[in-house]
Amino acid sequence: MFADQISVFLENKAGRLAEVTKTLAGASVNIRALSLADTSDFGILRLIVDNNDKAESALKEAGFTVRTTRVVAVEVSDKPGGLMSILEFLDSKQINVEYMYAFVRQRHDNAVMIFRFDNTDSAVEALTSEGFAVIKGDELYTM
């Protein structure tokens, strides 16, 4: 019920993001979703890709610092209040969302959100028991 996210640590300077995408393209890795957070000195690029092993290997070989993190992909009703309903549910279970970002494709006419929780196992158990659709990593990577 989990997906693997690749985090790439980047210097905050022109061209570094292009280098990452060039490296992934050269390894025939397709980016499915991404999020970029930055400070004045560095950034963290979070990626969902179609082949984690190839991506991690290519990025490390190119000199990037890379880490893999477990995240959860959840279907969210694609209408006003859809995201609110899942966030209110998580709050009622005292599950903290560390960060989240949108996936580039829909599933069954629903939006797909990527979540990082402080307690991933508890979050997945709570979400599935409440009927929220959690997407397995293997399915997510091929969407």
Side-chain angles (χ1 to χ4, degrees):
M1 295 308 244
F2 306 105
D4 288 325
Q5 165 194 275
I6 293 178
S7 297
V8 184
F9 300 89
L10 301 170
E11 294 173 84
N12 195 357
K13 67 178 194 177
R16 290 299 281 167
L17 190 55
E19 289 176 38
V20 170
T21 59
K22 182 178 181 177
T23 299
L24 293 174
S28 298
V29 173
N30 192 21
I31 298 170
R32 309 302 298 149
L34 66 84
S35 170
L36 181 62
D38 71 325
T39 67
S40 60
D41 297 325
F42 68 93
I44 301 173
L45 176 63
R46 296 179 173 113
L47 301 165
I48 302 294
V49 298
D50 65 345
N51 189 319
N52 288 313
D53 294 334
K54 282 173 60 176
E56 188 171 356
S57 176
L59 290 166
K60 284 182 177 179
E61 188 175 304
F64 291 100
T65 301
V66 179
R67 188 179 88 201
T68 301
T69 307
R70 282 193 333 177
V71 293
V72 180
V74 182
E75 282 189 44
V76 178
S77 180
D78 194 9
K79 64 181 183 183
L83 181 58
M84 177 205 65
S85 68
I86 194 168
L87 293 174
E88 284 184 340
F89 169 75
L90 292 166
D91 183 51
S92 76
K93 299 294 183 184
Q94 298 182 339
I95 296 171
N96 182 46
V97 176
E98 292 182 357
Y99 58 81
M100 58 185 246
Y101 53 95
F103 194 72
V104 295
R105 305 222 19 195
Q106 288 185 315
R107 182 173 183 254
H108 305 130
D109 294 325
N110 290 318
V112 176
M113 297 296 295
I114 308 296
F115 288 88
R116 169 74 174 156
F117 299 108
D118 59 349
N119 187 330
T120 305
D121 293 327
S122 294
V124 168
E125 183 178 324
L127 288 164
T128 55
S129 69
E130 190 66 17
F132 289 101
V134 175
I135 304 166
K136 294 180 182 177
D138 290 342
E139 184 179 349
L140 181 69
Y141 309 141
T142 60
M143 285 180 65

